[in-house]
Amino acid sequence: QVQLVESGGGLVQPGGSLRLSCAASKRIFSRNDMAWYRQAPGKERELVARITSGGSTNYADFVKGRFTISRDSAGSTAYLQMNSLKSEDTAVYYCYTKVAVSIEATVEHWGQGTLVTVSS
């Protein structure tokens, strides 16, 4: 069973920065893609950024140039560096990965979320 635990959220002023971390109970990020999602109040959960097992990254248009996704070499922790934060970035941020358990089956794993509030 894989557990994901996010940390690093909090209150920050517009234009500020935060770094979110996602700690996995197993070294899975080097073998599996992982992603950060977010969900703002009253809105659907949306993809923020993704990093593949090979290290390729892609970002939602609304964070390009401001956010950076990465992971450590051990594959047990992933990060989301968030710069130039805006009020519209206020949301609960979730860590996500999908692990193959057989040739045909995968299991999705979500963290509990960490709240990011951007406000003056």
Side-chain angles (χ1 to χ4, degrees), residues 26-98:
K26 299 180 180 180
R27 296 181 178 183
I28 59 172
F29 295 145
S30 57
R31 302 189 303 275
N32 300 278
D33 300 356
M34 72 81 56
W36 287 94
Y37 284 76
R38 72 185 188 186
Q39 187 167 19
K43 295 187 177 181
E44 294 188 353
R45 193 170 295 189
E46 59 185 358
L47 177 66
V48 175
R50 178 188 290 118
I51 183 167
T52 69
S53 58
S56 298
T57 60
N58 57 72
Y59 298 89
D61 287 343
F62 51 78
V63 303
K64 280 182 180 177
R66 300 189 297 125
F67 291 11
T68 303
I69 189 171
S70 63
R71 62 167 189 254
D72 66 0
S73 58
S76 60
T77 306
Y79 305 96
L80 185 68
Q81 177 67 43
M82 306 186 295
N83 299 327
S84 302
L85 283 162
K86 307 175 182 179
S87 58
E88 51 263 45
D89 294 318
T90 295
V92 177
Y93 284 72
Y94 297 91
C95 178
Y96 166 86
T97 190
K98 187 165 61 176

Side-chain angles (χ1 to χ4, degrees), residues 11-34:
L11 174 64
V12 62
Q13 292 186 343
S17 298
L18 280 176
R19 188 194 197 201
L20 305 183
S21 298
C22 173
S25 56
K26 299 180 180 180
R27 296 181 178 183
I28 59 172
F29 295 145
S30 57
R31 302 189 303 275
N32 300 278
D33 300 356
M34 72 81 56

Side-chain angles (χ1 to χ4, degrees), residues 5 13 65 101 120:
V5 179
Q13 292 186 343
V101 296
S120 55

